[in-house]
Amino acid sequence: MIEMLSAIWAQQHWPGRLIALEGFDGAGKSTQIEFLKQRLMGLGHDVVLTRQPSDWYRQSELVRSFLDNGGTPETVRALALFAAADRIRHCSEVIAPALARGATVISDRYVFSSVAFFWDRGLDPEFILAINAGIPRPDCAIYLDIEAHLVRERLRARDGDNLKHEENSIDTINRVMNNFKKLAPELHVVPAQAEREEVSRQVWRRVEPAISPERRVKAAS
């Protein structure tokens, strides 16, 4: 685990809950987020679904060009700063207000993705964490772990030959996945190659204690 990780979180405690799901595209995040949303709503939670990065980042021509073709170290650094600005803005405008009113927020990706990807792109992970300082700490953060070759098979089935340049390399996918796993125990690693119902049960095992009223009382004390 990166020792600096615990130092980036905001000190404020909100009445709501924040759950983050991480994983390479094709790992099954969308399916598990939907399962989780339905289960939480069934328990009476006000559920807010969101994702990072936001469209402000995703729609940038610089971002799209890098994802398609790669870029220089200077471009990587600029994108890391852009991603951090996008995350801080998103947390301020979307996540923190939802937490303040007591909602349960499920985020498709969070700061862990920036660390895993930009670390592989050549940046110091402590720099990545430093520029993301002050964001809410998730009550539960989960990484869906799946073998790299299965990820690429799923992506090819979905996108054909229109893969992003990082998705074309099994070695790159493996390195990024290993970076995610280095963020444990802050990030719970859940094997995601089983049937989706079993994966859902494993996800819920991590989420349920994190959202319990007893834990919220202890966190606020």
Side-chain angles (χ1 to χ4, degrees):
M1 179 179 176
I2 301 172
E3 292 182 1
M4 187 180 172
L5 192 60
S6 60
I8 73 166
W9 309 120
Q11 297 303 305
Q12 184 175 353
H13 294 288
W14 288 268
R17 286 92 159 168
L18 174 58
I19 302 164
L21 263 73
E22 296 277 12
F24 217 94
D25 280 359
K29 292 194 312 309
S30 298
T31 298
Q32 295 307 318
I33 286 170
E34 182 61 26
F35 279 157
L36 191 55
K37 180 190 80 169
Q38 295 300 328
R39 188 153 196 172
L40 289 167
M41 289 177 63
L43 294 172
H45 288 248
D46 170 15
V47 177
V48 174
L49 298 185
T50 191
R51 67 175 184 169
Q52 291 187 356
S54 76
D55 287 343
W56 183 44
Y57 179 91
R58 292 173 188 270
Q59 294 175 0
S60 163
E61 290 187 10
L62 181 63
V63 172
R64 292 185 180 209
S65 175
F66 177 83
L67 292 177
D68 288 340
N69 307 301
T72 65
E74 292 77 17
T75 299
V76 169
R77 185 178 176 86
L79 289 181
L81 292 166
F82 183 17
D86 177 66
R87 177 167 295 106
I88 292 167
R89 173 176 173 265
H90 180 253
C91 286
S92 175
E93 296 181 359
V94 177
I95 292 179
L99 296 176
R101 74 166 191 264
T104 298
V105 179
I106 304 175
S107 182
D108 181 346
R109 297 192 184 279
Y110 202 53
V111 67
F112 309 98
S113 280
S114 274
V115 177
F117 279 92
F118 282 105
W119 192 356
D120 184 64
R121 293 165 184 167
L123 293 184
D124 185 331
E126 294 197 353
F127 167 76
I128 303 163
L129 291 168
I131 61 177
N132 282 277
I135 61 175
R137 183 177 193 165
D139 294 274
C140 183
I142 293 171
Y143 166 64
L144 298 178
D145 188 36
I146 187 170
E147 291 184 14
H149 74 92
L150 291 177
V151 162
R152 196 163 69 168
E153 285 176 12
R154 292 179 181 183
L155 292 174
R156 285 197 181 281
R158 186 189 71 185
D159 300 333
D161 293 329
N162 298 318
L163 298 183
K164 301 179 180 70
H165 86 279
E166 289 171 321
E167 296 171 346
N168 275 303
S169 169
I170 290 289
D171 288 341
T172 297
I173 296 172
N174 271 320
R175 288 195 306 269
V176 172
M177 289 178 168
N178 286 333
N179 288 345
F180 273 115
K181 286 182 274 194
K182 290 174 185 176
L183 300 176
E186 188 82 44
L187 190 59
H188 299 287
V189 178
V190 171
Q193 291 174 207
E195 294 294 327
R196 60 185 187 176
E197 291 80 8
E198 176 58 26
V199 177
S200 178
R201 283 191 286 271
Q202 295 302 319
V203 168
W204 184 248
R205 281 184 55 199
R206 277 74 172 183
V207 171
E208 186 177 24
I211 64 171
S212 67
E214 293 80 7
R215 174 162 177 166
R216 301 300 297 176
V217 170
K218 290 179 182 177
S221 63

